[in-house]
Amino acid sequence: MVRAPTSAAISRRRLVELVSTWRLPEDEDSHMAMITVLSELVTNAVSHGAGDMLGVTVRADLGKSRLLLEVHDNSSVLPRLRCPSPDSESGRGMVLVEHLSIACGAENTMRGKRVWAELALPRELAGRLRAFERLGPPHAIVQRLLNAFRPLFRTESGEPAAVSGR
């Protein structure tokens, strides 16, 4: 994307769309962490980076319940943690990234640098899958549902209908 003051807002919007498209599990905390961290990484690349363009990469690993956010720019100057005073209006970006992520870092690349942060995703999706596994194979689930509604199925004479699961 173009390295411009609007890049942070555009990247946040695209991240929200991507998370929705990928149907990643999220809650209020993980959503806020995702958009805050990406916003800070992009803002730093816009403010302190080099070149006309910057790259944003998003990777998800549902097995580990992790989301990796990366921002690439053409500057070789790595970000550093600052200790801003309470009155400072800037300098808190990497502190926020460090506190909201599981791990974060920066390294030089052939064309500049990569600044990244790994975030935790809620395990909600895994929990839902395990709940279905406990119910048994699909035909067993259908049989249980049919049995639960058996009194609703009646023949023309009013007698309960015989229902088979498969």
Side-chain angles (χ1 to χ4, degrees):
M1 80 175 40
V2 175
R3 198 174 133 254
T6 57
S7 298
I10 293 167
S11 64
R12 284 191 304 267
R13 188 172 49 253
R14 288 183 180 169
L15 177 63
V16 169
E17 290 169 359
L18 186 62
V19 167
S20 175
T21 300
W22 286 352
R23 296 182 180 186
L24 297 178
E26 64 176 324
D27 55 23
E28 286 181 39
D29 292 337
S30 63
H31 178 82
M32 185 58 69
M34 284 181 224
I35 61 173
T36 301
V37 167
L38 185 60
S39 184
E40 292 300 332
L41 295 178
V42 171
T43 299
N44 280 349
V46 169
S47 300
H48 307 291
D52 294 332
M53 304 296 285
L54 59 88
V56 176
T57 304
V58 179
R59 294 187 182 119
D61 184 341
L62 288 178
K64 294 181 181 177
S65 295
R66 301 285 187 260
L67 185 72
L68 179 66
L69 304 173
E70 300 178 359
V71 177
H72 304 258
D73 71 68
N74 293 339
S75 171
S76 61
V77 179
L78 299 178
R80 58 184 171 86
L81 287 176
R82 296 183 186 177
C83 295
S85 71
D87 297 333
S88 296
E89 293 190 23
S90 64
R92 293 177 181 81
M94 291 310 294
V95 173
L96 280 171
V97 169
E98 183 178 80
H99 284 284
L100 292 172
S101 62
I102 296 169
C104 61
E107 59 242 0
N108 291 110
T109 64
M110 297 290 279
R111 294 186 175 155
K113 71 174 170 288
R114 171 180 89 105
V115 184
W116 58 272
E118 185 177 10
L119 305 170
L121 293 172
R123 294 193 174 269
E124 175 186 333
L125 184 62
R128 284 187 203 160
L129 292 174
R130 273 192 232 104
F132 278 108
E133 286 172 1
R134 278 183 263 148
L135 291 174
H139 69 276
I141 296 170
V142 170
Q143 181 62 50
R144 286 190 188 105
L145 288 171
L146 289 173
N147 287 340
F149 292 105
R150 187 176 299 256
L152 300 177
F153 295 99
R154 302 205 178 268
T155 63
E156 289 180 17
S157 66
E159 296 295 316
V163 180
S164 71
R166 249 174 128 43

